[in-house]
Amino acid sequence: MLTPLHQQAIASMSYEKPDLVHGYAGQTLKVDLTDRSFEIKPVTREMKDTFTGGKGFDLWLLWNAVTGETAWNDPENAVCISSGPMGGTPIYPGSGKSIVTTISPLTGSVMDSNVGGYFGPYLKFSGFDALEIVGKSAGNTVLYIDGESGNIQLLDMNDLPEESYGLSEALTEHFGGPDRKKISVVSAGPGARHTYFGCLNFSYYDGRRKQTRNKQAGRGGIGTVFEDKGLKGLVVKCTSFSVDTNNPADKDALKTCAKAHTRNIRELDPKQNEMAKGGTTFITMIMNDHDLLPTHNFRYGQHPQAKNLAADVFRRLFDPGFDGCWYGCSVACAHGVKGFVPTTGPYRGQQVFVDGPEYETIAGVGSNLGIFDPYTVLEINFYCDAYGIDTISFGTATAFAMDCYDSKLIGKEQTGGLDLSFGNRWSALTLLHQMAAGEGFGVVLGKGIRKMKEFFSREYGADAALMQDIGMESKGLEFSEYISKESLAQQGGYGLALKGPQHDEAWLIFLDQVHNLMPTFEQKSENLHWFPMIRTWFGLCGLCKLPWNDIVPADNDQTEEPAKVMGHMKLYAEYFSSVTGRQVTPDDLVVMSEKVYNFQRLFNLKMGFGRRTQDRIPYRAMGPATVLEYESRQKRYDQDLRDKYGLDVTGLTTSEKIAALREKREEQYEKLTDAVYARRGWTSDGIPTLATVKRLGIDYPEVVELLAAHGVRE
Amino acid sequence: MIRVDDQEVQWFEGMTVTDLLKQIGYEGSCAVVRINETHVSRPTFDQTLVPDGAQVYLIPMIAGG
Ligand code: SF4
């Protein structure tokens, strides 16, 4: 039993909870923290037709909230959270995701992040398809949406715990009492306040373990915006629900496709990657064996000690059991470690539950830092979540700082005495605690790689060109954890992604490099068109992307286009039709995404980005940036120069070979960019053409004006 | 004897993953297999021995991430 909390209402409003119609509540909620007001806005037919829901609704609300000049910490910046028409369906695998958008402190443009936990579905079942929070409060503010009684309150709660685990536990108990399953909490933490890569934790109550669990909306500093608004937590209380709550248009059809997909997963996951037992941890060794696992700031793709971070290690540590992050998800990949005892920080010596780790965290805070100790990975994972820090950006930014230290661009005078050698786990943990405390070198690091590059160059005269090559960020966002040097398609997947180099948009590395499914330029650009569209669609509907292609039907290899996993795409089309009543085919899903995808690209343009120059990536993402890297895989690179580009390498120095390879690979990337832009219906500067926006029905006057201002008139 | 997906396959001493895939006509078309609980990738097929009695799964495609 936790200490009782005190709350003081600063604003409240009652509302009539609508019945959902075919997956939609039909309204959104706007909360202005500055003037403490609430506004309920209708969801129009046009919103549904153009933006579908989820990320689409978020983007539309955000677009209308900000101007091209809005900075991340301006009051008008909005944090938008939504589910989607299928969100909350408790019988179809992966149907409990929320999507969050805001203007990011790292990129200055639109950020989106997809997350489990119960908040999105509970929000919708409480009457709102999306939540939009603008303005700023004095701090310690909690927004409480009571879907049971139809009441919304802004509360001042000044004796809440600082860390996210404590916060979600305390708020769940306070508002849930004996009904904790009815509560979901969104919170950040002190690390989010002092860095630019704060994450949000979305909670759900784990009835079996009798504790609150957290999933993270990690990317792009959404937690930082949340903290800057003076928010401590968002709490939603939901009444009981069932498959009927979404009021699906055709319940029988819904049950049929849900059953089929569930059966596929139940039968096939045990024969494929056993995600129900180990989550995504199986990826680590597969990446390592294919030279794709980032180690030492993406220098190399393999390490002899990687087996210390392999799936079997974490499977032994995971608390066994069925761990779905929403009801009915038979993939059940949301594992965690019980009874872990941190050796540092405020929880030192206490038993805690760690939610994770997933592959990205293992690679990001483990191998990429040269740390091959699973317990350190767990400890960093735990404190990142507790402090509200994105594990991917923390890992990639720390790897960059370690590389700068190793390359003598910075030294102990700059790091406050910290030895930032690769593999130094104490230093990595110290940096993390410094971020939470807002002190020391952790604060410099917490501003992200782009800001570090400027700072090291300006203050310490560090080599800007070298940092540009080895600083693994694009658009201001840190790379997620894959070596893309030998996969041109993945380079495009990273560089041409709307929000920055996150693999959720286009993970093509294996299909390209290992399965060799797209040998030509045309095939790569075709894949860079449809793959992001399919991935985008899940974010429009409140769905998780994993059940689509992390488990594939047994006959998938025999289908015409195995990469599309058409067996599952057909089920998704049936799912959408059965809930919303709009009859669609798999091709229609791609068009739905195209509308939102292009709108997001235009949103980037509105924010001063969204052009070719922002789609460039650091050279280390394309090839060997240093002599060390080249020589470590000399045979491969020499052969590439000889066989692919017809260059006689005899007598050339390594530096000369690096330069020759670089010229070729950069040229390839530019050619790919041209091909993808053309396929997407964009100009050679990466701007959607007028014809494209007209075809997609997003030719709003403001959009047409924006295009004209950039010289795009047809 | 070992099992590959749902079929029984004759095992021999010293059998590597490459040998196994050759034997069942899957050479070159499979990038990852799982032997009991451990994933094995193509670059190590030549050096990885398949133990007698193993349950082997041919992983159709690694497409997620
Ligand atoms: S597949 Fe995993 S992450 Fe996705 S909804 Fe299911 S449990 Fe959650």
Side-chain angles (χ1 to χ4, degrees):
Chain A
M1 190 72 179
L2 302 168
T3 332
L5 299 170
H6 302 290
Q7 64 178 58
Q8 193 187 344
I10 41 184
S12 74
M13 181 182 87
S14 295
Y15 69 99
E16 190 95 17
K17 202 171 71 168
D19 287 333
L20 270 73
V21 180
H22 300 171
Y24 293 94
Q27 57 186 24
T28 66
L29 172 65
K30 180 177 179 179
V31 178
D32 189 328
L33 298 169
T34 307
D35 61 20
R36 301 165 174 190
S37 65
F38 308 103
E39 186 190 353
I40 293 175
K41 299 192 274 190
V43 167
T44 60
R45 176 82 255 162
E46 195 192 342
M47 267 172 85
K48 287 193 217 171
D49 289 347
T50 309
F51 297 103
T52 306
K55 178 160 93 164
F57 282 7
D58 278 358
L59 288 174
W60 180 239
L61 296 173
L62 188 61
W63 170 279
N64 289 308
V66 303
T67 69
E69 277 72 49
T70 300
W72 70 272
N73 52 358
D74 284 339
E76 71 260 29
N77 187 15
V79 173
C80 300
I81 304 176
S82 61
S83 170
M86 286 106 101
T89 303
I91 56 168
Y92 200 105
S95 298
K97 290 280 178 165
S98 306
I99 194 121
V100 198
T101 59
T102 196
I103 300 299
S104 157
L106 283 172
T107 69
S109 193
V110 194
M111 184 54 55
D112 60 84
S113 206
N114 185 307
V115 58
Y118 293 176
F119 193 87
Y122 279 13
L123 175 73
K124 189 172 77 169
F125 293 159
S126 296
F128 305 105
D129 289 311
L131 169 66
E132 173 192 2
I133 304 170
V134 298
K136 290 198 190 190
S137 70
N140 295 323
T141 301
V142 171
L143 170 69
Y144 177 44
I145 300 167
D146 184 347
E148 222 168 30
S149 66
N151 192 265
I152 307 163
Q153 288 183 302
L154 277 174
L155 303 165
D156 187 20
M157 298 182 77
N158 55 21
D159 50 1
L160 287 168
E162 273 287 295
E163 286 94 28
S164 210
Y165 275 96
L167 260 168
S168 35
E169 195 81 42
L171 290 169
T172 300
E173 176 174 309
H174 178 74
F175 291 103
D179 287 331
R180 289 174 206 182
K181 278 195 157 180
K182 291 182 172 175
I183 300 290
S184 179
V185 176
V186 177
S187 61
R193 198 152 57 240
H194 299 126
T195 67
Y196 280 0
F197 42 69
C199 74
L200 288 178
N201 284 291
F202 278 55
S203 83
Y204 62 103
Y205 190 72
D206 179 340
R208 189 165 58 86
R209 297 191 183 83
K210 305 216 175 329
Q211 68 182 77
T212 305
R213 304 277 305 275
N214 288 304
K215 298 290 284 179
Q216 292 73 37
R219 304 304 333 259
I222 300 176
T224 304
V225 179
F226 188 89
E227 283 285 330
D228 182 68
K229 292 194 172 300
L231 281 166
K232 268 291 203 187
L234 313 176
V235 183
V236 65
K237 185 177 198 178
C238 180
T239 48
S240 53
F241 59 89
S242 69
V243 68
D244 292 318
T245 312
N246 264 329
N247 194 2
D250 185 342
K251 189 170 147 189
D252 289 339
L254 166 61
K255 279 183 166 173
T256 306
C257 58
K259 215 185 250 174
H261 206 146
T262 303
R263 193 177 47 234
N264 273 357
I265 289 168
R266 288 221 174 105
E267 272 175 20
L268 298 167
D269 182 48
K271 296 178 180 174
Q272 294 178 15
N273 297 315
E274 294 192 299
M275 294 176 74
K277 288 187 178 157
T280 53
T281 56
F282 71 95
I283 300 175
T284 309
M285 284 311 286
I286 296 177
M287 292 300 118
N288 187 64
D289 290 342
H290 285 96
D291 206 19
L292 297 170
L293 176 75
T295 76
H296 302 82
N297 191 31
F298 296 85
R299 285 181 187 174
Y300 318 115
Q302 212 161 52
H303 196 280
Q305 289 180 48
K307 57 183 179 307
N308 297 349
L309 304 177
D312 59 323
V313 174
F314 288 104
R315 271 173 69 159
R316 279 197 297 274
L317 293 169
F318 284 145
D319 190 33
F322 190 81
D323 275 303
C325 73
W326 176 249
Y327 298 88
C329 188
S330 42
V331 182
C333 72
H335 301 292
V337 176
K338 189 172 140 186
F340 176 70
V341 181
T343 54
T344 64
Y347 287 89
R348 183 181 170 188
Q350 296 175 37
Q351 290 205 352
V352 298
F353 191 95
V354 186
D355 280 294
E358 296 175 14
Y359 164 75
E360 295 292 330
T361 301
I362 296 170
V365 309
S367 61
N368 206 20
L369 302 184
I371 294 172
F372 295 95
D373 162 31
Y375 297 100
T376 305
V377 169
L378 286 179
E379 187 149 345
I380 297 178
N381 185 152
F382 172 75
Y383 276 118
C384 276
D385 295 350
Y387 293 153
I389 288 175
D390 172 26
T391 54
I392 297 178
S393 275
F394 173 81
T396 302
T398 305
F400 170 70
M402 286 181 164
D403 206 349
C404 289
Y405 187 87
D406 190 63
S407 311
K408 312 255 179 304
L409 299 176
I410 56 169
K412 278 192 181 166
E413 317 79 71
Q414 285 80 35
T415 66
L418 281 180
D419 172 358
L420 285 194
S421 302
F422 282 114
N424 192 328
R425 55 186 200 230
W426 300 116
S427 293
L429 279 160
T430 304
L431 287 168
L432 189 49
H433 297 310
Q434 285 181 344
M435 285 177 193
E439 60 186 35
F441 188 68
V443 174
V444 176
L445 200 142
K447 296 287 180 285
I449 293 176
R450 186 164 280 195
K451 289 273 183 307
M452 268 194 282
K453 287 191 295 191
E454 288 162 16
F455 186 75
F456 294 168
S457 157
R458 190 180 64 238
E459 298 297 318
Y460 314 135
D463 182 342
L466 176 59
M467 288 193 293
Q468 180 52 36
D469 285 349
I470 66 171
M472 296 298 285
E473 61 87 10
S474 169
K475 300 186 171 79
L477 184 72
E478 284 71 27
F479 272 66
S480 69
E481 310 301 334
Y482 299 96
I483 294 284
S484 53
K485 289 178 179 131
E486 306 310 317
S487 166
L488 181 59
Q490 187 57 41
Q491 290 163 29
Y494 272 141
L496 307 177
L498 295 174
K499 67 174 172 238
Q502 167 74 353
H503 60 283
D504 66 341
E505 196 178 286
W507 196 81
L508 298 174
I509 197 161
F510 229 70
L511 298 176
D512 182 31
Q513 190 178 323
V514 178
H515 296 302
N516 198 24
L517 286 178
M518 51 193 93
T520 67
F521 258 104
E522 291 68 32
Q523 287 163 326
K524 287 188 207 309
S525 60
E526 183 58 30
N527 277 273
L528 279 163
H529 172 66
W530 68 258
F531 201 101
M533 297 312 149
I534 293 180
R535 281 272 173 99
T536 295
W537 184 79
F538 296 105
L540 307 184
C541 294
L543 302 180
C544 175
K545 65 188 168 56
L546 297 184
W548 165 47
N549 68 352
D550 274 78
I551 293 154
V552 299
D555 63 354
N556 192 53
D557 278 355
Q558 279 92 59
T559 59
E560 212 171 299
E561 294 176 284
K564 288 187 177 166
V565 196
M566 278 313 270
H568 284 169
M569 285 306 292
K570 284 183 189 145
L571 288 175
Y572 281 120
E574 286 164 25
Y575 184 17
F576 185 88
S577 305
S578 67
V579 173
T580 65
R582 271 170 73 186
Q583 297 306 312
V584 294
T585 64
D587 285 344
D588 295 328
L589 309 186
V590 170
V591 179
M592 278 181 221
S593 294
E594 267 191 285
K595 292 172 194 268
V596 177
Y597 192 89
N598 279 273
F599 186 75
Q600 190 168 348
R601 181 73 178 183
L602 290 159
F603 203 156
N604 278 342
L605 192 66
K606 166 170 159 165
M607 302 312 292
F609 300 87
R611 302 176 68 167
R612 192 174 186 117
T613 111
Q614 281 92 34
D615 286 344
R616 302 224 155 87
I617 50 177
Y619 184 62
R620 184 166 276 174
M622 294 187 208
T626 61
V627 170
L628 215 62
E629 278 167 271
Y630 190 101
E631 291 181 347
S632 75
R633 274 109 178 116
Q634 178 161 352
K635 204 168 141 211
R636 177 194 299 162
Y637 297 131
D638 280 359
Q639 196 177 350
D640 212 21
L641 281 171
R642 233 184 350 249
D643 300 352
K644 210 160 157 193
Y645 304 116
L647 189 81
D648 181 6
V649 294
T650 349
L652 293 183
T653 64
T654 302
S655 298
E656 286 166 339
K657 289 191 280 188
I658 290 176
L661 189 64
R662 180 174 189 145
E663 195 189 315
K664 296 295 177 197
R665 290 200 170 181
E666 286 181 340
E667 205 177 281
Q668 297 276 304
Y669 183 79
E670 293 303 323
K671 274 195 198 158
L672 179 75
T673 305
D674 283 331
V676 176
Y677 285 174
R679 177 62 187 86
R680 290 180 181 174
W682 296 357
T683 68
S684 60
D685 198 20
I687 301 173
T689 62
L690 190 58
T692 299
V693 303
K694 280 191 172 160
R695 175 175 68 85
L696 297 171
I698 51 172
D699 52 334
Y700 304 110
E702 218 187 317
V703 166
V704 175
E705 240 172 70
L706 182 71
L707 290 180
H710 287 86
V712 180
R713 290 192 172 79
E714 49 187 59
Chain B
M1 199 65 86
I2 56 173
R3 281 187 82 78
V4 180
D5 291 334
D6 296 328
Q7 283 176 6
E8 299 219 314
V9 173
Q10 201 63 41
W11 177 84
F12 60 85
E13 185 73 43
M15 180 190 235
T16 63
V17 177
T18 306
D19 295 330
L20 166 64
L21 294 178
K22 213 181 274 175
Q23 190 167 319
I24 61 170
Y26 256 74
E27 212 189 357
S29 61
C30 188
V32 179
V33 302
R34 181 153 69 77
I35 303 178
N36 300 324
E37 291 186 341
T38 308
H39 286 79
V40 180
S41 300
R42 195 185 287 153
T44 61
F45 282 175
D46 280 344
Q47 307 105 58
T48 307
L49 293 175
V50 182
D52 191 13
Q55 169 69 60
V56 179
Y57 294 106
L58 308 176
I59 304 297
M61 184 173 78
I62 301 294

